[in-house]
């Protein structure tokens, strides 16, 4: 490997431009639900890279999922694994543990919207086992 190629490879790794399987989560909107004391609505977009997935977790919230692009596999503990495509939905309740959340594809990204109704100021994502 030439020194120029080596420098480019090292720069690539140093800038964090590595391909990861972690989802990209973007907050779209947060709004106090004034007629429901102590609650807020939170809207997020989640983008799974090819092969991307979530660890087992919970939200302690009502979570409404709407798939925009690609296909995702979802499952809550005690529920059935479900593959969703654009336009399809999924629901997680406040007591559910999300045991499967992943991109169904190893070659194409997937993107969905999540709308949460949760306690104001509570964490969005709580690790679970």
């Amino acid at each position: 490997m030439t020194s120029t190629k080596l420098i480019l490879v090292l720069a690539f790794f140093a800038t964090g431009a590595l391909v990861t399987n972690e989802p990209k989560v973007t907050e779209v909107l947060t709004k106090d639900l004034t007629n429901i004391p102590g609650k807020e609505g939170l809207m997020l977009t989640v983008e799974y890279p090819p092969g991307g997935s979530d660890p087992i977790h919970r939200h302690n919230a009502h979570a409404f999922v709407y798939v925009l692009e690609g296909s995702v596999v979802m499952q809550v503990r005690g529920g059935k694994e479900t593959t969703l495509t654009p336009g399809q939905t999924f629901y997680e309740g406040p007591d559910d543990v999300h045991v499967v959340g992943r991109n169904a594809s190893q070659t194409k990204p997937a993107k969905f919207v999540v709308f949460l109704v949760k306690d104001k100021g509570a964490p969005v994502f709580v690790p679970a086992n």
Side-chain angles (χ1 to χ4, degrees), residues 13-124:
F13 285 102
T15 61
L18 297 173
V19 175
T20 69
N21 283 344
E22 293 182 18
K24 176 184 173 191
V25 178
T26 304
E27 184 175 314
V28 177
L29 174 71
T30 301
K31 181 73 175 163
D32 288 349
L33 301 176
T34 55
N35 63 336
I36 309 173
K39 296 291 184 181
E40 65 184 358
L42 173 63
M43 187 179 293
L44 309 166
T45 58
V46 179
E47 297 177 58
Y48 284 141
S53 64
D54 288 323
I56 296 174
H57 66 278
R58 59 184 306 131
H59 296 289
N60 299 335
H62 294 276
F64 301 87
V65 174
Y66 181 83
V67 178
L68 298 170
E69 301 170 11
S71 58
V72 295
V73 181
M74 301 281 183
Q75 180 183 8
V76 295
R77 185 166 287 144
K80 183 179 175 185
E81 187 174 286
T82 304
T83 301
L84 306 166
T85 57
Q88 293 185 309
T89 60
F90 186 78
Y91 170 79
E92 292 178 53
D95 297 324
D96 286 331
V97 175
H98 194 156
V99 294
V100 176
R102 65 178 166 82
N103 189 336
S105 174
Q106 295 294 317
T107 59
K108 297 178 183 175
K111 184 176 183 178
F112 54 95
V113 172
V114 181
F115 177 71
L116 298 158
V117 176
K118 65 183 201 60
D119 290 340
K120 186 175 177 178
V124 173

